[in-house]
Amino acid sequence: MANFKGHALPGSFFLVFGLWWSIKYPLTYLNGRIKGKRSSNKFHKRLELIEGVMKILGGFIDFCLHVGMLAEQFVPDGPHLHLVSGDHGWVKLMNWQHTTMYFFYGLSGVVDILTYFPLNFPQGLDRLSLALAVFIEGLLFYYHVHNRPPLDQHIHSLLLIAIFGGSISIMIEVFLRDNIVLEMFRSSLAILQGTWFWQIGFVLYPLGKAPEWDQSDHENIMFITMCFCWHYAVSLIIISVNYGLVYWCLKRNKGLAGDVTIGIRKLKSNNQGEVQTALLTASDEE
């Protein structure tokens, strides 16, 4: 991750996943409130199936993270599965740390896929595996930036707030399933983590001719802290807008479905009236 792309890639992953959750969970929740619990269960299964297929194809977890795991090892300057060199020195420990993180996320993806099959896995195992993966990410990042410049340490420590907050939230979901508040909170932290990875890339590895940040300037640290709050405010706005759009779409679809149903009932009523009139006319003629 010692470059801009190394931060933009995982940032994009968490951002896409957070946006998906911010739409998926309101769909499940509001569909149940508007159309009933039975319809919600069916709809939830369809969304879980969609997410499962996406994970199998590698859209969200397995492919991205396993490719990342291999890339960390087999890039030209990677360790190529060597942990210790000939002189008993460590080989590319940063790459090994990223590989470890990717492995636990990949393991979480495998658990997610297996829970879709009738294998009688305990309920909540998918959330538990994801919570552990996020916790491992935070643990590795905590010791990732020691002995670095103050701004570098601070901007990564802010990232830990989103990581450990997400891990705790997901762990609570192991026991409180289908809680829309926890699910939306997790979505907001995933979006925050994604955008903040991009922010770290821009700060530590400026693009083009942008000036470099003074790593020891305390005012820069103050601004970055304030910027982190702005990022979370944007995240909250995004999930609120997505929630409102989902609600509007579901209400609109329900209204259209209601109009169709009423039209069918009127058509049936008119047909019955015509039949009754025809029968009465025939009776009078007799």
Side-chain angles (χ1 to χ4, degrees):
M1 284 189 182
N3 52 52
F4 180 83
K5 293 181 180 178
H7 289 82
L9 180 61
S12 300
F13 165 74
F14 287 111
L15 182 59
V16 170
F17 221 155
L19 291 173
W20 161 250
W21 282 341
S22 70
I23 296 174
K24 170 189 171 183
Y25 292 119
L27 273 174
T28 304
Y29 174 74
L30 293 174
N31 193 65
R33 294 289 296 271
I34 294 175
K35 297 184 179 180
K37 187 175 181 181
R38 185 175 180 181
S39 175
S40 175
N41 291 335
K42 293 180 179 180
F43 192 70
H44 180 70
K45 290 180 179 179
R46 292 174 184 173
L47 291 179
E48 291 292 343
L49 178 61
I50 292 173
E51 186 169 332
V53 171
M54 294 171 74
K55 289 176 181 178
I56 292 173
L57 295 176
F60 282 115
I61 289 184
D62 288 316
F63 179 80
C64 291
L65 293 173
H66 279 99
V67 167
M69 182 170 61
L70 293 175
E72 290 290 346
Q73 287 290 331
F74 296 107
V75 290
D77 61 341
H80 297 272
L81 300 180
H82 293 291
L83 182 59
V84 182
S85 63
D87 57 353
H88 304 288
W90 300 112
V91 178
K92 300 288 184 179
L93 279 184
M94 187 177 294
N95 295 70
W96 276 103
Q97 278 197 324
H98 298 161
T99 301
T100 302
M101 179 182 70
Y102 293 143
F103 170 78
F104 278 93
Y105 272 108
L107 184 62
S108 172
V110 172
V111 173
D112 283 345
I113 294 170
L114 292 178
T115 54
Y116 298 134
F117 297 96
L119 300 176
N120 296 323
F121 279 107
Q123 188 179 29
L125 186 62
D126 55 341
R127 298 291 194 274
L128 178 62
S129 62
L130 180 58
L132 291 175
V134 178
F135 176 81
I136 292 296
E137 178 195 359
L139 180 65
L140 293 171
F141 265 108
Y142 180 77
Y143 294 100
H144 188 73
V145 293
H146 281 196
N147 299 322
R148 289 194 179 186
L151 182 61
D152 194 339
Q153 291 189 34
H154 182 68
I155 199 171
H156 281 91
S157 66
L158 292 174
L159 179 65
L160 291 177
I161 296 176
I163 295 175
F164 285 124
S167 178
I168 294 172
S169 176
I170 299 169
M171 184 64 72
I172 296 175
E173 288 185 53
V174 174
F175 310 99
L176 295 177
R177 299 282 295 189
D178 302 326
N179 187 298
I180 186 62
V181 176
L182 289 175
E183 291 167 343
M184 295 303 289
F185 179 61
R186 176 180 18 130
S187 304
S188 69
L189 291 179
I191 295 174
L192 173 63
Q193 190 174 343
T195 59
W196 197 245
F197 264 114
W198 276 84
Q199 183 68 62
I200 294 174
F202 281 114
V203 171
L204 299 183
Y205 308 99
L207 298 179
K209 297 181 180 179
E212 293 187 0
W213 291 60
D214 186 349
Q215 297 284 321
S216 59
D217 188 352
H218 182 68
E219 290 190 352
N220 285 340
I221 295 177
M222 293 175 61
F223 172 78
I224 285 298
T225 306
M226 182 172 58
C227 189
F228 181 79
C229 299
W230 293 347
H231 274 254
Y232 193 54
V234 172
S235 175
L236 293 176
I237 292 173
I238 289 174
I239 65 171
S240 299
V241 170
N242 287 347
Y243 188 96
L245 289 175
V246 169
Y247 179 80
W248 178 79
C249 290
L250 289 176
K251 289 289 288 185
R252 184 171 181 273
N253 289 338
K254 183 184 178 183
L256 292 176
D259 292 341
V260 173
T261 303
I262 293 173
I264 293 174
R265 288 177 180 175
K266 287 182 177 180
L267 181 60
K268 288 182 178 179
S269 177
N270 291 336
N271 289 340
Q272 290 176 355
E274 292 175 359
V275 171
Q276 290 177 355
T277 301
L279 289 175
L280 290 174
T281 303
S283 176
D284 292 340
E285 291 178 354
E286 292 177 358

